[in-house]
């Protein structure tokens, strides 16, 4: 079993399911409201654990009731939370999410305690792989990537300015097509692989500007795409660290992301390995 460290965010997701997403300035009503554990870091940690890895999460939560609610599925799933730190007088990260009947979403994040995961708070330990995203301070991600000895995957979401050292150190960079356009030519500084996802159209894996694999997800009934990218990130890292070939690993990651889009909510939708294999 591979061991994975995840450095990242923990959020409580407040999810309004609506017929259609509002335009700027528009009010839509008749929504159904749900609360789900989320946060890109926490989602990636639980996704990797459900896919068969032994995962520990390095994160900050607030000093409030949302913290316990946000951690409950990670605890039930067996993710090691001994390096999750509770920050006094801070709220737990919260995401306001609107999900349309089409499965598309809008997400607004109030990071709260996730901002407290500064470089001096890092407690890195040995693992086969490290997964980071950008919902915690970028300096922390840069330091972790430099100091970690194993395989480093950085999901550049949400898109923001990063130190080039992250691109030079990461073995695997993951972006969706919106993030890929946002980063543009700056991604050419990446020394490792870049995986780009295109939703239902699949994903491609490249290195030094050359395609090394392409894959399409299985056909599914889309309910909610929240955390599909997090599941893809976890699955591709798990598969590559296990030694799967590029095509096989990318196919596995596409199927895992698709599986996550078949259910409502971030963490309730994360598939087990058997559920992914059944889709392949
Ligand atoms: O990637 C999905 C996640 O983004 C949600 O769970 C939400 O918390 C935001 O961080």
């Amino acid at each position: 079993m591979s061991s994975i460290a995840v450095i990242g965010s923990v959020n409580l997701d407040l999810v309004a399911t609506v017929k259609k997403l509002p335009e700027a300035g528009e009010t839509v009503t008749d929504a159904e409201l749900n609360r789900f554990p989320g946060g890109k870091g926490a989602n990636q940690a639980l996704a990797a654990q459900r896919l068969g890895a032994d995962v520990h999460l390095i994160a900050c939560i607030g000093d409030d009731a949302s913290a316990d609610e946000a951690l409950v599925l990670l605890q039930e799933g067996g993710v090691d939370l001994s390096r999750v730190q509770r920050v006094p007088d801070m709220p737990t990260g919260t995401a306001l999410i609107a999900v349309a009947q089409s499965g598309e979403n809008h997400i607004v994040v109030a990071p709260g305690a996730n901002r407290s995961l500064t470089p001096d708070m890092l407690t890195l330990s040995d693992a086969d792989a490290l997964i980071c995203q950008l919902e915690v301070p970028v300096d922390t991600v840069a330091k972790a990537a430099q100091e970690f000895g194993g395989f480093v995957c950085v999901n550049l979401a949400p898109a923001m300015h990063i130190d080039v050292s992250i691109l030079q150190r990461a073995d695997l960079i993951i972006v969706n097509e919106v993030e890929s356009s946002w980063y543009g030519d700056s991604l050419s500084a990446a020394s490792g692989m870049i995986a780009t996802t295109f939703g239902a159209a699949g994903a491609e894996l490249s290195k030094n500007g050359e395609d090394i694999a392409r894959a399409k997800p299985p056909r599914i009934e889309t309910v909610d795409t929240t955390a599909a990218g997090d599941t893809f990130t976890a699955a591709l890292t798990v598969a590559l660290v296990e030694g799967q070939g590029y095509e096989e690993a990318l196919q596995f990651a596409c199927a895992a992301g698709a599986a996550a889009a078949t259910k409502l909510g971030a963490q309730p939708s994360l598939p087990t390995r058997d559920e992914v294999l059944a889709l392949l």
Side-chain angles (χ1 to χ4, degrees):
M1 183 188 282
S2 47
S3 57
I4 297 191
V6 178
I7 294 178
S9 54
V10 174
N11 293 336
L12 183 65
D13 292 353
L14 305 181
V15 181
T17 312
V18 287
K19 276 207 177 97
K20 77 177 250 315
L21 297 175
E23 308 286 334
E26 185 187 11
T27 300
V28 296
T29 186
D30 278 338
E32 294 285 330
L33 187 65
N34 285 284
R35 301 159 70 93
F36 297 114
K40 294 185 194 305
N43 298 343
Q44 291 168 7
L46 185 57
Q49 182 87 24
R50 286 191 182 160
L51 293 171
D54 183 19
V55 180
H56 66 268
L57 175 64
I58 299 161
C60 284
I61 51 169
D63 190 14
D64 54 12
S66 297
D68 300 324
E69 206 177 338
L71 293 180
V72 73
L73 292 182
L74 292 159
Q75 272 157 350
E76 283 176 22
V79 174
D80 179 346
L81 301 179
S82 57
R83 295 173 188 81
V84 174
Q85 302 171 69
R86 200 176 277 267
V87 186
D89 303 322
M90 283 295 283
T92 296
T94 304
L96 306 177
I97 304 182
V99 179
Q101 268 175 354
S102 61
E104 290 171 306
N105 61 37
H106 279 167
I107 303 182
V108 176
V109 176
N114 293 306
R115 285 204 185 101
S116 304
L117 191 62
T118 46
D120 53 301
M121 299 277 274
L122 268 184
T123 49
L124 269 183
S125 55
D126 283 347
D128 299 317
L130 170 70
I131 301 178
C132 307
Q133 359 58 42
L134 304 180
E135 284 189 332
V136 295
V138 172
D139 291 355
T140 305
V141 174
K143 181 173 184 229
Q146 291 310 319
E147 292 187 356
F148 186 74
F151 183 94
V152 173
C153 166
V154 184
N155 172 209
L156 296 181
M160 63 180 64
H161 294 287
I162 53 165
D163 195 290
V164 71
S165 67
I166 293 177
L167 293 171
Q168 290 165 341
R169 168 61 185 92
D171 298 286
L172 173 64
I173 291 288
I174 299 182
V175 284
N176 65 23
E177 59 187 317
V178 176
E179 290 147 3
S180 176
S181 308
W182 192 91
Y183 287 103
D185 288 345
S186 67
L187 289 180
S188 62
S191 327
M193 293 172 278
I194 301 178
T196 310
T197 60
F198 301 94
E204 65 184 33
L205 191 61
S206 63
K207 187 160 186 190
N208 301 324
E210 304 280 324
D211 273 11
I212 54 175
R214 277 174 188 258
K216 288 208 164 169
R219 280 179 176 276
I220 48 122
E221 201 68 41
T222 303
V223 173
D224 175 11
T225 55
T226 308
D230 300 329
T231 308
F232 176 95
T233 295
L236 187 56
T237 304
V238 167
L240 289 171
V241 168
E242 280 175 1
Q244 292 186 31
Y246 298 139
E247 294 278 352
E248 190 189 1
L250 197 63
Q251 192 64 60
F252 180 73
C254 282
T262 61
K263 292 182 193 157
L264 182 64
Q267 289 176 26
S269 74
L270 305 177
T272 62
R273 180 176 283 250
D274 285 346
E275 286 169 333
V276 177
L277 296 178
L279 266 185
L280 279 170

